[in-house]
Amino acid sequence: MTDIKAALRAQRIETPSWAYGNSGTRFKVFAQQGVSRDPYEKLADAAQVHACTGIAPTVALHIPWDKVADYADLARHARELGVGIGAINSNVFQDDDYKLGSVTNPDPAVRRKATDHLLECVDIMDATGSDTLKLWFSDGINYPGQDDLRARQDRLAESLAEVYDRLGEGQRFLLEYKLFEPAFYATDVPDWGTAYAHCVKLGPKAQVVVDTGHHAPGTNIEFIVAFLLREGRLGGFDFNSRFYADDDLMVGAADPFQLFRIMYEVIRGGGLTDEVAFMLDQCHNIEPKIPGQIRSVMNVQEATAKALLVDRDALAAAQAAGDVLGANAVLMDAYNTDVRPLLAELREEMGLAPDPMAAYAGSGYFEKIAAERVGGQQAGWGA
Ligand code: LRH
Ligand code: MN
């Protein structure tokens, strides 16, 4: 049990700055009381999640949503709060110039503009001490013939190569794929294979990020995880869950068994390390945001604890013996184990309250921000 506790104590989950701002769907973005109004307030909210869970010490930024005058000062503010700046997320999906694509756009001037934004994000990594750039491209087409699929891959590869060459010592980028939306016929980075192929061509600093909401229904995501880990190209996760499409709901909420299977392949593949970025990428459209993040961190922690409880020797023996039901039962025993008492005990050993949700509810933090954050513009996607 000691190793399991040690592994859980060393777990690191990164929360996204944009989860602390307002978000919604094309139908409505619902504002909430006390929502952060700038990156400084987002970091303060993220620090509450770390204070209550003990395992969420970094915050991913999204540019320009988190644009500030002085990024070094923002990083200093984070340190004072007891957190750090994590992945820097580029944004080439909200500018009118990118209607027909960003780095894949037929117009070289638009491609130049998009690539310059990606390079600016590396400058921000330098200023904040971040070692990870996360690249997601909404690029794609809506109708057959709209553009040349092969030419768009050439343009994408050209831009990625320029960004790759700009990366400094200890820096890397994570290429994110997504099956569809906002493009509805062909997306230029639609699946793990496309992302993987581009990364292998570029070099070891280019890895793949698995957003759990970006697959066709029924996709075996843990197979992708096992494969990318085997290839040394699993750079990280954008954790969330979905019932239908890219719903960006709380990780583990829609399918806790899938999250358990994913974390089992992470552990089996030696991926429960700082090499793999365990990031949340979610939108709390109707539920309170800070408790939503705390619950999400706990969901990943519970899935990890269950996966760490898998009796690997018994599983290997059953698998070797072709004992189908026996092998499945070993995994299900771990999954069906209630790990909440173990995690409550671990939190107390870490000097934390056993129940992070109750700790936050009793902290008075919400009442404080609801009273203080009056006026100004609540943060959002600025779409
Ligand atoms: C795209 C995505 C990407 C982010 C955005 C907030 O759907 O998953 O990771 O840039 O959400
Ligand atoms: Mn994502």
Side-chain angles (χ1 to χ4, degrees):
M1 194 54 77
T2 329
D3 307 356
I4 291 178
K5 280 188 172 173
L8 291 167
R9 196 187 282 264
Q11 185 163 37
R12 295 286 171 271
I13 297 166
E14 183 160 303
T15 66
S17 67
W18 53 99
Y20 304 107
N22 287 326
S23 57
T25 70
R26 57 185 163 176
F27 302 105
K28 174 69 176 166
V29 172
F30 295 100
Q32 293 185 19
Q33 219 189 348
V35 159
S36 55
R37 296 162 299 179
D38 60 48
Y40 287 80
E41 292 183 345
K42 293 177 188 177
L43 291 175
D45 294 353
Q48 287 298 308
V49 176
H50 185 46
C52 295
T53 64
I55 61 166
T58 55
V59 187
L61 300 184
H62 217 297
I63 309 300
W65 300 339
D66 297 315
K67 191 174 182 54
V68 291
D70 182 342
Y71 285 103
D73 182 64
L74 187 67
R76 177 200 51 71
H77 179 68
R79 281 193 301 278
E80 277 174 12
L81 290 164
V83 293
I85 303 297
I88 302 298
N89 286 258
S90 59
N91 182 334
V92 286
F93 53 86
Q94 285 187 314
D95 188 301
D96 290 337
D97 288 341
Y98 300 146
K99 185 172 74 176
L100 300 179
S102 65
V103 296
T104 63
N105 195 293
D107 180 343
V110 174
R111 299 202 295 271
R112 183 69 261 154
K113 174 180 175 177
T115 303
D116 287 345
H117 168 73
L118 307 181
L119 297 172
E120 182 208 346
C121 287
V122 183
D123 299 339
I124 295 168
M125 289 166 68
D126 294 341
T128 57
S130 166
D131 62 11
T132 298
L133 171 66
K134 184 151 80 67
L135 301 173
W136 172 66
F137 299 101
S138 60
D139 292 45
I141 57 177
N142 277 358
Y143 299 98
Q146 173 186 331
D147 196 356
D148 183 84
L149 294 176
R150 170 95 177 237
R152 293 174 72 89
Q153 291 300 310
D154 297 339
R155 299 163 195 159
L156 169 66
E158 189 184 326
S159 173
L160 290 175
E162 187 176 342
V163 178
Y164 189 90
D165 294 343
R166 165 67 183 82
L167 292 173
E169 190 57 40
Q171 295 181 332
R172 62 179 176 165
F173 73 54
L174 309 184
L175 182 56
E176 185 172 357
Y177 58 88
K178 181 175 180 178
L179 185 63
F180 78 102
E181 189 211 32
F184 294 107
Y185 163 59
T187 294
D188 294 296
V189 188
D191 54 32
W192 71 271
T194 306
Y196 171 72
H198 278 287
C199 290
V200 168
K201 275 240 179 72
L202 289 160
K205 294 183 181 182
Q207 298 162 336
V208 180
V209 59
V210 175
D211 185 311
T212 45
H214 286 187
H215 305 82
T219 299
N220 186 323
I221 299 176
E222 59 269 27
F223 171 85
I224 298 169
V225 170
F227 187 93
L228 290 172
L229 270 172
R230 183 172 177 275
E231 300 299 313
R233 294 291 172 156
L234 178 68
F237 291 93
D238 264 5
F239 276 138
N240 50 65
S241 72
R242 47 66 146 324
F243 290 103
Y244 303 101
D246 191 17
D247 309 350
D248 281 339
L249 298 172
M250 290 190 298
V251 59
D255 190 344
F257 185 42
Q258 180 189 58
L259 181 59
F260 162 78
R261 299 192 314 265
I262 288 171
M263 291 313 296
Y264 172 72
E265 289 303 336
V266 166
I267 292 159
R268 188 255 176 271
L272 199 56
T273 69
D274 290 347
E275 300 305 303
V276 175
F278 297 94
M279 304 172 285
L280 303 180
D281 178 6
Q282 298 173 180
C283 298
H284 302 292
N285 298 346
I286 57 173
E287 70 270 26
K289 300 169 190 303
I290 298 169
Q293 285 289 292
I294 293 172
R295 181 69 256 176
S296 302
V297 169
M298 293 168 68
N299 285 356
V300 177
Q301 198 178 32
E302 287 174 15
T304 307
K306 289 172 185 261
L308 286 165
L309 285 171
V310 172
D311 182 337
R312 300 281 295 281
D313 298 338
L315 182 62
Q319 289 169 340
D323 177 1
V324 175
L325 294 178
N328 176 250
V330 171
L331 222 66
M332 295 314 291
D333 287 348
Y335 177 65
N336 293 322
T337 304
D338 184 354
V339 293
R340 293 172 293 183
L342 162 72
L343 291 172
E345 192 179 285
L346 175 77
R347 293 184 189 111
E348 290 183 314
E349 290 166 4
M350 292 168 74
L352 302 169
D355 178 351
M357 294 294 277
Y360 177 73
S363 70
Y365 185 79
F366 174 71
E367 292 75 11
K368 180 169 102 56
I369 57 176
E372 283 172 5
R373 296 177 182 173
V374 178
Q377 174 65 47
Q378 291 190 335
W381 283 37

